[in-house]
Amino acid sequence: MGDSKNYSHEIVVITGMSGAGKTLAVQSFEDLGYYCIDNLPPALLTTFLALMKESERKITRVAAVMDMRGREFFDSLVDALDQLEKEKDVKTRILFLDADNETLVRRYKESRRSHPLAPQGLPLEGIKKEREILAELKGRSKHVYNTSNLKPKELRERIGEEFSDSNRPKFSINVMSFGFKNGIPIDADLVFDVRFLKNPYYVEELRHKTGLQEEVSSYVLATEETQELITKLTDLFNFMVPQYINEGKPQLVIAFGCTGGQHRSVTLAEYYGNLLSNTYKTIITHRDINRRKD
């Protein structure tokens, strides 16, 4: 969406699930010096761009929130984005904020608000409808944040890191582990199921340890199956990661999952987090490592 090195105007469209944190996000963009607009009808995007170019105030960076409060205009958003892509001097980015259904329902209950798509019904009904409507737009977004477990400070920091004034986009890789019994992380770009590997859980002296400990990681990495997997995945990452960078993706989330998120997935996440950190800015997270219930 536009050349990252040759543009005179930037528009960030902040959208996503209702209750996922768009208010906090637009406040963060305001702190970064963006001219911010809340609930801008999509049909007015191109009109506003014309005003930006004519403005005596030299408005060059705009962040606009577009959500289901204006659902009667929302269908025109994709058309508006297509029009902006034709503008050679305009860089357009979409920030899509998401959260799991359980988190969104809890936030609605805490705020005592009704969902815009289910004003007389249950919040979950509206959430499911909204997720269906926004599926295509989410797929189009290169910046997708799952705010389920993000503290406000962490969301602000992430936005600051990726959208601060810089002509060179930053790229980072988040390698994470998780347990399938707790659900697949919805913000992962690549998910690898490593439940076929030999499970340390069934070794008494390893059961209550994690992949962060040498005894467990050595056990997992020692098998032929793991070594063959590492060979194949390394080749895959060496091919795919540069392609993501070439497409302008600012972050890649790689998730390894096992049953509980304690042993095998942690081992593989640590292995690849350390390996990829030799070339890229890399963050390692273990979503379910503290959820053990033996």
Side-chain angles (χ1 to χ4, degrees), residues 221-270:
L221 295 173
T223 68
E224 292 183 8
E225 292 81 5
T226 302
Q227 289 304 309
E228 184 172 356
L229 175 65
I230 286 175
T231 298
K232 294 179 182 299
L233 286 182
T234 301
D235 286 342
L236 181 67
F237 294 151
N238 286 339
F239 168 74
M240 292 185 70
V241 173
Q243 308 308 317
Y244 281 115
I245 296 173
N246 290 339
E247 282 299 308
K249 188 173 179 64
Q251 182 187 50
L252 178 65
V253 181
I254 302 172
F256 291 93
C258 61
T259 304
Q262 308 290 320
H263 302 105
R264 295 165 290 181
S265 62
V266 172
T267 297
L268 268 297
E270 284 289 319

Side-chain angles (χ1 to χ4, degrees), residues 6 10 35 69 150 167 177 185 197 213 223 234 258 262 278:
N6 300 295
E10 178 183 3
Y35 184 92
R69 288 175 294 172
L150 280 183
N167 286 330
S177 67
L197 298 177
Q213 294 167 284
T223 68
T234 301
C258 61
Q262 308 290 320
N278 293 326

Side-chain angles (χ1 to χ4, degrees), residues 150-169:
L150 280 183
K151 297 177 181 177
K153 180 175 181 292
E154 293 171 333
L155 177 58
R156 288 181 180 275
E157 289 176 349
R158 187 167 178 182
I159 290 173
E161 181 177 325
E162 293 193 15
F163 292 90
S164 59
D165 190 11
S166 173
N167 286 330
R168 183 174 182 178

Side-chain angles (χ1 to χ4, degrees), residues 164-176:
S164 59
D165 190 11
S166 173
N167 286 330
R168 183 174 182 178
K170 300 175 182 178
F171 179 80
S172 64
I173 299 177
N174 189 329
V175 185
M176 67 183 300

Side-chain angles (χ1 to χ4, degrees), residues 106-151:
R106 186 182 70 249
R107 289 175 181 173
Y108 271 102
K109 288 183 176 179
E110 290 173 351
S111 66
R112 298 184 179 180
R113 294 169 52 226
S114 60
H115 192 281
L117 293 184
Q120 307 300 326
L122 298 173
L124 186 57
E125 295 177 1
I127 290 168
K128 290 180 178 179
K129 290 180 184 177
E130 187 176 29
R131 210 175 276 290
E132 291 178 5
I133 294 172
L134 298 181
E136 181 181 348
L137 184 59
K138 180 180 179 182
R140 183 170 178 156
S141 307
K142 291 182 178 178
H143 303 268
V144 180
Y145 295 178
N146 181 354
T147 66
S148 299
N149 298 310
L150 280 183
K151 297 177 181 177

